Amino acid sequence: MAEPTPTPRSTTQTEVPHLRVAVIGSGFGGIGAGVRLRRAGITDFVILERADSVGGTWRDNSYPGCACDVPSHLYSFSFALNPDWPRSFSGHSEIRAYLERVTDTYGLRPHLRLNHQVTETRWEEERTRWRITTNRGEFTADAVVSATGPLSDPAVPDVPGLADFPGKVFHSSRWDHDYDLAGKRVAVVGTGASAIQIIPAIQPKVGRLTVFQRTPAWVLPKADRQISGLEKAVHRAVPATTALRRAVLFAVRELQVDAFVRRPGALRLVQKVAEKHLARQIADPALRAKLTPDYRIGCKRILLSQTYYPALAAPNAEVVTSGLREVRGNVLVAADGTETEADVIIFGTGFHTTDLPTAEHVYGVGGHRLSDVWKGGMEALRGSTVHGFPNLFFVIGPNTGLGNSSMILMIESQLNYLVDALGTLQSVGATAMQPTQRAQRHWNQRLQHKMERTVWTTGGCRSWYLTEDGKNTTLWPGSTSAFRRATRRVDLAEYDLIKRQPAGATAAPAAEEVSA
């Protein structure tokens, strides 16, 4: 039987389609939101996606060697366990295929609005609803779920002369598969999680590989292997074994949390493992010195690879221990003055994580723009809601990122919070909710106090976790279990409730705010 298409409540020519919920983004967050809404009995929603297919990060990132650094059985929804993961750390194609299957299995296709780029999201106070403008028309909705994620908009540095570079330039998340790197002089800018996968994948085929490294990363061996047919057969025959495998992986990572957030000194043993890994794979003392970080392991994201160091030690590879300063024709000039000729520049420079571009297009109460509200750093209540932006719910919002475990765990917690919030509004007869200034301020004060002890603050590095003034607005300073407890249900004492005025009311304001 065909799945029902969401029916807009507004059908006249003068009004745009109105829905209960509009979800923006179709990665893990958006697909997960669709599943949870349907399971809660909410079918009046759409998922707006700017691309032509689902997948989010795992659609956009298709570079050579792209794979997850979280074990496959943990990097999947608890309600959609996959017994057929091919490897312990699966690649982007397998993860993307998994998201396509979840989309089909849970009947989300009728809710998808592909090729819908959201250009503005504006709160209409007099109607107590959101107006969402896309390149394909407008929608209104009682609530908006922002599931665009922090790894969606690539960050490319403003390098003088880059526009006049005569060769090929692209970011790791916008890989040009039609361009042949064979025999080319390739420069990779950056040494983060994407770069350490790209470099060993392309090194054997390029003519010359130059890596611009501002800061070396700590790298641990990646215990990746093919999952045997027997294992998969057991998981299919006894589904509880898949759940058990996931639970064990979860428990191991929960035990690691304390070292990251309260006792960074406990990471010394892990750092010794990384040092031995480097020594085993890099024989040249000069190159080893270039690749040895001067900060505590865990301060920046710990990377996993068995092939990164051997690729850098290859005869056709060179490491420049400096960032790219300028481009003069086909000559790349590093900050230390080193000059290198290149035919291709590949930026592995990450994403806009502390200055989400989507915030530029969101307008809340009084027409205030979210990016202006967040000028001093992103803040939300429980990583999910923001004062002044009623019924706007974030999935992977401020301070919900992880340094050692699966983001799917955090996503599912926020989806529980979302569904509870929508159910609470219905049960109390309110139209919308927004966190009080006091609740949001106290939550973030406590959060930043906890952050002071973490390795991300005390480890002696500058990372993409931090704003320019050193505030960590991206990571969660605790366990995923603690976050799940914090988002198990909505506390009405932390919210102001808004009730829509009856039609025809004239003397009263458009919306009545009721303090909870």
Side-chain angles (χ1 to χ4, degrees):
M1 181 180 295
E3 289 289 341
T5 300
T7 303
R9 279 178 263 162
S10 299
T11 56
T12 67
Q13 293 182 345
T14 57
E15 293 190 46
V16 301
H18 181 79
L19 298 143
R20 186 171 180 190
V21 183
V23 180
I24 305 175
S26 69
F28 268 97
I31 295 302
V35 173
R36 289 292 284 113
L37 289 171
R38 283 183 60 89
R39 293 176 75 181
I42 300 171
T43 58
D44 187 13
F45 69 91
V46 295
I47 302 173
L48 302 170
E49 170 54 56
R50 64 185 178 185
D52 59 3
S53 61
V54 303
T57 295
W58 296 103
R59 177 199 58 240
D60 295 343
N61 288 269
S62 60
Y63 57 79
C66 183
C68 191
D69 58 3
V70 174
S72 303
H73 288 88
L74 189 58
Y75 200 78
S76 49
F77 292 119
S78 63
F79 54 78
L81 300 180
N82 179 18
D84 294 313
W85 287 116
R87 303 192 65 83
S88 50
F89 292 88
S90 292
H92 94 278
S93 59
E94 291 86 5
I95 297 173
R96 184 178 177 186
Y98 169 79
L99 282 171
E100 293 280 2
R101 287 197 302 274
V102 172
T103 300
D104 290 329
T105 300
Y106 289 89
L108 298 184
R109 295 287 174 192
H111 299 272
L112 286 174
R113 299 295 181 269
L114 301 176
N115 298 303
H116 277 62
Q117 171 76 52
V118 175
T119 56
E120 183 180 278
T121 308
R122 185 176 292 272
W123 176 249
E124 297 182 336
E125 294 178 62
E126 72 283 0
R127 305 292 293 273
T128 57
R129 68 184 186 185
W130 286 97
R131 180 173 292 269
I132 305 100
T133 303
T134 79
N135 62 328
R136 304 281 292 273
E138 292 188 331
F139 299 83
T140 58
D142 294 334
V144 169
V145 179
S146 180
T148 57
L151 304 182
S152 56
D153 291 285
V156 177
D158 185 14
V159 180
L162 181 62
D164 298 321
F165 178 67
K168 190 72 177 177
V169 179
F170 52 86
H171 189 273
S172 60
S173 66
R174 303 292 185 267
W175 196 271
D176 188 342
H177 291 278
D178 294 328
Y179 187 82
D180 187 5
L181 295 176
K184 300 294 195 302
R185 298 170 298 179
V186 179
V188 175
V189 182
T191 52
S194 298
I196 74 151
Q197 295 179 342
I198 293 169
I199 287 167
I202 67 172
Q203 174 270 318
K205 68 176 69 173
V206 305
R208 183 70 184 166
L209 176 65
T210 303
V211 178
F212 287 82
Q213 171 193 269
R214 285 194 305 177
T215 309
W218 284 112
V219 181
L220 290 172
K222 187 174 186 178
D224 187 26
R225 66 174 180 84
Q226 186 173 350
I227 295 176
S228 70
L230 176 61
E231 290 174 274
K232 288 186 279 189
V234 170
H235 289 329
R236 285 193 296 269
V238 187
T241 61
T242 311
L244 177 61
R245 187 170 189 160
R246 188 177 191 271
V248 171
L249 292 168
F250 164 77
V252 169
R253 276 151 184 78
E254 288 293 273
L255 292 173
Q256 298 170 352
V257 170
D258 193 61
F260 284 86
V261 302
R262 283 185 289 271
R263 295 185 299 156
L267 291 167
R268 289 193 188 95
L269 291 176
V270 181
Q271 187 163 315
K272 291 293 184 184
V273 174
E275 289 170 351
K276 289 181 179 178
H277 181 52
L278 173 59
R280 279 195 304 267
Q281 294 202 315
I282 300 294
D284 179 12
L287 179 57
R288 196 185 312 140
K290 287 183 178 182
L291 299 175
T292 302
D294 61 359
Y295 56 87
R296 176 171 287 167
I297 194 169
C299 185
K300 294 168 73 77
R301 188 174 181 89
I302 300 173
L303 307 181
L304 305 177
S305 180
Q306 297 279 34
T307 56
Y308 176 60
Y309 287 145
L312 296 181
N316 67 334
E318 177 188 8
V319 177
V320 177
T321 56
S322 185
L324 180 60
R325 186 181 70 196
E326 63 176 309
V327 177
R328 301 173 187 162
N330 68 342
V331 177
L332 312 186
V333 184
D336 63 2
T338 301
E339 296 187 1
T340 304
E341 291 188 356
D343 304 308
V344 190
I345 303 175
I346 301 170
F347 285 99
T349 45
F351 301 85
H352 290 277
T353 54
T354 59
D355 58 338
L356 298 181
T358 186
E360 293 282 341
H361 313 294
V362 179
Y363 297 84
V365 174
H368 294 295
R369 188 167 59 174
L370 183 57
S371 58
D372 295 330
V373 173
W374 277 351
K375 274 186 177 178
M378 300 185 301
E379 284 191 356
L381 174 62
R382 302 181 188 272
S384 302
T385 54
V386 180
H387 176 75
F389 297 83
N391 278 14
L392 175 62
F393 299 93
F394 282 90
V395 180
I396 314 183
N399 290 111
T400 59
L402 298 176
N404 75 308
S405 192
S406 172
M407 282 304 302
I408 313 305
L409 302 170
M410 303 295 278
I411 288 172
E412 290 198 38
S413 292
Q414 291 197 280
L415 296 179
N416 291 339
Y417 194 73
L418 161 69
V419 169
D420 188 64
L422 296 177
T424 298
L425 284 173
Q426 187 171 13
S427 66
V428 300
T431 308
M433 58 175 21
Q434 64 169 330
T436 65
Q437 282 185 318
R438 181 177 182 274
Q440 184 173 309
R441 182 176 63 250
H442 285 186
W443 172 262
N444 283 279
Q445 284 175 343
R446 294 195 302 270
L447 187 150
Q448 290 301 326
H449 177 68
K450 293 179 181 178
M451 200 70 73
E452 293 173 1
R453 300 174 59 183
T454 68
V455 69
W456 312 306
T457 301
T458 64
C461 75
R462 288 285 305 178
S463 71
W464 59 263
Y465 303 145
L466 310 178
T467 63
E468 288 296 323
D469 60 1
K471 183 180 179 181
N472 193 324
T473 61
T474 58
L475 295 186
W476 167 246
S479 67
T480 59
S481 297
F483 187 75
R484 175 150 294 195
R485 290 192 296 271
T487 53
R488 189 174 300 279
R489 58 182 55 87
V490 168
D491 180 358
L492 285 179
E494 296 182 328
Y495 282 89
D496 287 328
L497 300 181
I498 302 171
K499 293 188 177 181
R500 185 178 290 132
Q501 287 294 316
T506 55
E512 173 193 359
E513 291 199 8
V514 182
S515 175

